[in-house]
Amino acid sequence: MSEAILGVHFSAGPDGKYTADGNVAVVVDGSPVFAVGQERVTRRKYDGGFIESARYALDAVGISISEVKAVAISTFGRPDMIGDPEQAEVERQVRDALGSGPTYQVIPSHHVAHAMSAAAQCPYERALIAVIDNEGSVLGPRVFGDLWRHSLERTSYYLLNGEKLTLVARDHSGPGEVGYGKAYSKVTRYVGFRSYQESGKTMALAAFGDPSRFGALRLFEHGSDGQSRTSLRNSADGLQDLAEFFYDAGYPLPPARRPGERLDPAHIDLAAWCQAELEESVGRRIQALTQEHRVGAVCGAGGVFLNSVMNRKLQDRLNTGDVFVPPSPGDQGLALGAAAWWLWQSSGTLPRWTPQCYLGGQFDDDAIEAELARHPDLNWEKPADHVAEAVRDVAAGRIVGWFQGRSEYGPRALGNRSILANPADPWAREVLNNLVKHREWFRPYAPVAVEDRAGETFDLWSPVPFMMHTAPTRPEAVSALPGGVHVDKSARLQTVSADQNTIFHRLVAKFSDVAGSPAILNTSLNVDGMPIVESPADGIECFRRSPGMDALFLGSIKVTRPGARLP
């Protein structure tokens, strides 16, 4: 009989309120078979729950909770002590929600769960695993009501050596300290974005700024022991601390920007300064640790490693392509780390999985047609070759939705829940921003190139299958990709191989042949404030809310609007 393990990320804090990024993963006989974020199922952005996604995952795999051997649970903000009453309470809550039968076990450490999500997918036998995020588990007993007042996991470094995973360094863990994730979060909020979950906007905005506005001011200093430290402190508010930090240094900031307000040049420069400080300090610390432990490869986990600009700068600093970031390094990937930890603890063997992102739901044409029957106002047909049809549309300047195969686990759309456009069209970005995605002008879109030819257009250390590293665009190619090159001439690149995604590889290769372009433009199939679509119903809703999207390909079916002319 098969052995099934359910990984659950339980995002509720000590106050019982769910925060964000709930997700689940099912591992059968030691291999991941399904994983999905809660937001994809409930359609609530950043949903921190798990019940609906757990039911969805178990139904997809065809098992009940009584057939699951163990439920491994990752948490945050809880004491890291085995047997702590808070852990027992979490186990009880998850058991009450899902049902009896399996063994329920909480992973004591949030950062160990992150480290395991990277280690299990790490392509190297020996590597430094860096875990950098906002806040993890409480180190020691709970003393204060406010989480930030405690000693916390904020930045942790582990050495992976075969079957062993050993903590070798920890930074920013003292009471009230600020780590890389919290500092970047403060700046993200100060420049007018809602929370740390919108840090990607800060990264995009940074390319337009000038960090020299703040002179030689350092956010993080490094002591003789190599540790990273900052004089920026924490508080319940967080933004006042940031303003005081700059005021005391002789660089008073304008008031914090409210969402939707005009961007002041100082806000843009602040984003650039914070990005530069992050790159420099993380790079310096990791470089020193790789030298100290004589290790040549790095794996990154935690939400800060969603910063693809930082990841590329780390490759440059270490002079190697051996900087691996899994498809879902943030909390959205913790369910997989939880399942890996349980397997490691129960068997004594560290699971090793080929990194993959296509672990979510899949819908055949019968299911798609059944959903389309509920929308008689939409036109639809089955082209003889839906890949070739989509290529012709995009080459002609149309913007299409692309819904194929299994959905992606994690925050990136990597060719199965995507919107595609022609990067050679100088207006593509404007149409996507204003009529399709409804998002800010400064955010770039991702070009996708076939893996074996990407190096002709982009300066690569290694393939970028999960869109986790940016790449400079070669000077001679910049003018050919106005829709896919950022203001700093970098690209938020994805490479695709036939082994990774057969259909998407065929589409990208065929588009290059038909349009004469080295890449196709890819962005997630959603609009601002909407999770990436999971089901055909979600795809149709997104299509209706995006007047600039000319067609939607659901499997082999092409959907258009009433009155639209099918070419």
Side-chain angles (χ1 to χ4, degrees), residues 131-146:
V131 179
I132 307 176
D133 65 1
N134 212 12
E135 292 169 339
S137 297
V138 175
L139 300 174
R142 181 177 306 285
V143 179
F144 306 104
D146 295 322

Side-chain angles (χ1 to χ4, degrees), residues 2-9 23-37 50 53-65 67-72 98 333-340 343 353 356 358-360 406 409:
S2 297
E3 179 182 276
I5 308 300
L6 177 65
V8 171
H9 177 48
N23 59 100
V24 300
V26 181
V27 175
V28 176
D29 293 336
S31 298
V33 298
F34 199 93
V36 68
F50 67 92
S53 52
R55 291 170 179 164
Y56 177 67
L58 294 175
D59 286 348
V61 176
I63 60 175
S64 67
I65 191 65
E67 297 172 274
V68 173
K69 180 176 182 178
V71 178
L98 298 181
L334 277 173
L336 208 55
L343 290 169
W353 303 321
Q356 56 179 312
Y358 307 108
L359 289 169
R406 301 187 67 176
Y409 178 54

Side-chain angles (χ1 to χ4, degrees), residues 137-159:
S137 297
V138 175
L139 300 174
R142 181 177 306 285
V143 179
F144 306 104
D146 295 322
L147 181 63
W148 60 268
R149 295 183 187 277
H150 292 85
S151 293
L152 291 167
E153 295 174 321
R154 297 184 177 98
T155 308
S156 302
Y157 301 98
Y158 299 82
L159 183 64

Side-chain angles (χ1 to χ4, degrees), residues 293-487:
H293 295 282
R294 298 181 181 180
V295 61
V298 174
C299 295
V304 172
F305 277 98
L306 287 167
N307 193 307
S308 54
V309 177
M310 179 195 77
N311 297 342
R312 170 56 193 239
K313 295 295 177 64
L314 185 57
Q315 286 181 316
D316 292 342
R317 183 165 191 143
L318 299 179
N319 197 34
T320 179
D322 292 336
V323 177
F324 170 75
V325 181
S328 190
D331 284 6
Q332 287 187 25
L334 277 173
L336 208 55
W341 179 88
W342 194 92
L343 290 169
W344 183 43
Q345 293 297 302
S346 61
S347 70
T349 300
L350 181 71
R352 289 300 184 99
W353 303 321
T354 300
Q356 56 179 312
C357 61
Y358 307 108
L359 289 169
Q362 185 169 9
F363 304 84
D364 61 21
D365 279 0
D366 288 343
I368 292 168
E369 289 182 28
E371 182 59 36
L372 284 168
R374 302 174 58 191
H375 302 271
D377 61 313
L378 294 177
N379 301 324
W380 62 273
E381 65 170 5
K382 280 191 172 183
D385 184 341
H386 70 291
V387 173
E389 180 83 359
V391 166
R392 283 193 292 271
D393 277 353
V394 178
R398 299 182 182 95
I399 293 174
V400 306
W402 186 248
F403 180 109
Q404 306 290 317
R406 301 187 67 176
S407 65
E408 300 91 342
Y409 178 54
R412 305 282 200 247
L414 298 168
N416 280 7
R417 300 292 188 272
S418 292
I419 296 172
L420 306 176
N422 189 341
D425 182 353
W427 291 101
R429 183 157 31 200
E430 295 300 319
V431 174
L432 285 168
N433 279 338
N434 294 298
L435 297 179
V436 179
K437 298 286 286 185
H438 313 301
R439 72 183 203 180
E440 297 88 350
W441 58 269
F442 54 82
R443 295 170 66 186
Y445 291 96
V448 186
V450 294
E451 183 179 297
D452 58 359
R453 298 196 62 184
E456 298 171 11
T457 305
F458 305 98
D459 180 5
L460 296 173
W461 279 104
S462 56
V464 194
F466 308 125
M467 212 184 289
M468 290 296 168
H469 301 79
T470 59
T473 309
R474 298 196 182 279
E476 63 273 17
V478 170
S479 61
L481 300 168
V485 177
H486 203 26
V487 66

Side-chain angles (χ1 to χ4, degrees), residues 190-192 205 208-209 213-214 252-258 261-271 441:
Y190 204 94
V191 299
L205 183 64
F208 293 87
R213 171 189 287 263
F214 304 105
L253 294 175
R257 172 179 170 262
R258 294 187 179 91
E261 287 184 344
R262 182 185 65 85
L263 276 162
D264 187 287
H267 294 131
I268 302 175
D269 292 342
L270 175 60
W441 58 269

